[in-house]
Amino acid sequence: MRTPLRPIRSTLAKRFYIDRHDPRGATLLAGTGRGGTTWLAQLINHDDASRLMFEPVMPDRVPLFAPLSRRPYLKRGDAHDAWSSAMDRVVAGRLRSAWVDAHNTKLLANQRLIKDIRLNLALPWLAERYPAIPIVWALRHPCAVAYSKLKLGWDTHLDLFLDDDRLMADHLSPYRSLLASATEAWDRHILMWCVETLVPRLTLREGEVLPVYYEDVCDRP
């Protein structure tokens, strides 16, 4: 019996792909966790045109990001050498990782689709540093996001926001007591969505990202 070629190719592509390392071939898909980003990445890459890079900003899985913040708040104009160096490697496709390449099925890649759920607060910085790279910002109803996280037992990360003095001073100081006093998991997940949505809304400029609403894609694919 013949073995189907697609599963073989998919297995090989996770380790033995060739990336031409042209930064102009990158697209970034950002959004909050459980916001439909994985599904949207599959839709965007339905024709297997791009190398799919899955959540590179994962300090527990990707050593390149181990010394860096799990939820970076980077402002337009920031000269952050460590983040610049790390993201330059990602955008150019020079990062190889079992975690990042776990969903890749492209053997010879001229393009790459970078999907990540931890870069919302860095979107203005990314848009400024990589103006030629399209950025898609996925948005989903906060109740659906919180419900999905609760079902999977996901932790919340409000403490990361509260510990970021610059982020608090710039945007979140009016909400400090609310963020600090939330104890119920549902409330904390909703507040996390609020932070990851509010800050980009306040800091992004017109046309820097393409907002895509999960519900709209469901209704009008």
Side-chain angles (χ1 to χ4, degrees):
M1 179 182 297
R2 290 185 177 181
T3 303
L5 292 179
R6 185 173 178 82
I8 294 176
R9 187 183 67 183
S10 297
T11 301
L12 290 173
K14 290 172 175 52
R15 294 186 59 189
F16 302 111
Y17 61 86
I18 298 172
D19 192 316
R20 295 184 184 275
H21 304 314
D22 184 351
R24 295 169 298 180
T27 297
L28 174 63
L29 172 60
T32 194
R34 306 309 299 168
T37 51
T38 299
W39 178 58
L40 287 171
Q42 293 168 345
L43 291 180
I44 293 171
N45 200 36
H46 68 92
D47 56 356
D48 199 29
S50 302
R51 171 192 170 196
L52 178 57
M53 300 182 70
F54 181 83
E55 299 183 6
V57 185
M58 182 61 166
D60 296 341
R61 302 272 189 162
V62 183
L64 176 65
F65 288 94
L68 303 177
S69 170
R70 296 179 65 91
R71 291 292 191 283
Y73 171 56
L74 298 173
K75 298 169 64 173
R76 205 182 311 274
D78 279 353
H80 199 302
D81 292 343
W83 271 105
S84 298
S85 176
M87 289 308 302
D88 285 353
R89 284 186 59 184
V90 172
V91 167
R94 297 186 181 279
L95 172 64
R96 301 180 78 98
S97 158
W99 169 262
V100 171
D101 296 313
H103 302 276
N104 179 52
T105 57
K106 186 70 172 177
L107 276 169
L108 180 58
N110 295 310
Q111 304 176 82
R112 63 205 61 84
L113 175 60
I114 305 159
K115 177 265 191 201
D116 207 282
I117 61 172
R118 296 173 180 85
L119 290 173
N120 276 23
L121 306 188
L123 288 178
W125 180 84
L126 290 163
E128 180 183 59
R129 183 167 181 82
Y130 309 108
I133 294 177
I135 299 177
V136 180
W137 183 26
L139 295 154
R140 188 183 186 186
H141 195 287
C143 290
V145 169
Y147 178 70
S148 182
K149 287 183 174 182
L150 282 174
K151 282 182 66 179
L152 294 178
W154 278 30
D155 196 2
T156 61
H157 301 282
L158 290 184
D159 292 344
L160 296 176
F161 302 143
L162 287 164
D163 292 341
D164 191 324
D165 294 337
R166 190 168 66 153
L167 173 62
M168 295 301 299
D170 287 350
H171 302 293
L172 302 181
S173 57
Y175 316 107
R176 181 182 294 276
S177 61
L178 177 63
L179 294 170
S181 62
T183 56
E184 296 294 328
W186 174 267
D187 296 339
R188 290 175 63 84
H189 283 307
I190 293 289
L191 287 171
M192 186 171 176
W193 180 96
C194 290
V195 172
E196 292 188 326
T197 305
L198 172 67
V199 174
R201 289 278 192 188
L202 294 175
T203 55
L204 283 167
R205 295 172 180 167
E206 185 71 25
E208 284 189 317
V209 304
L210 174 67
V212 174
Y213 295 88
Y214 175 91
E215 291 78 11
D216 286 347
V217 179
C218 291
D219 288 342
R220 299 186 299 277

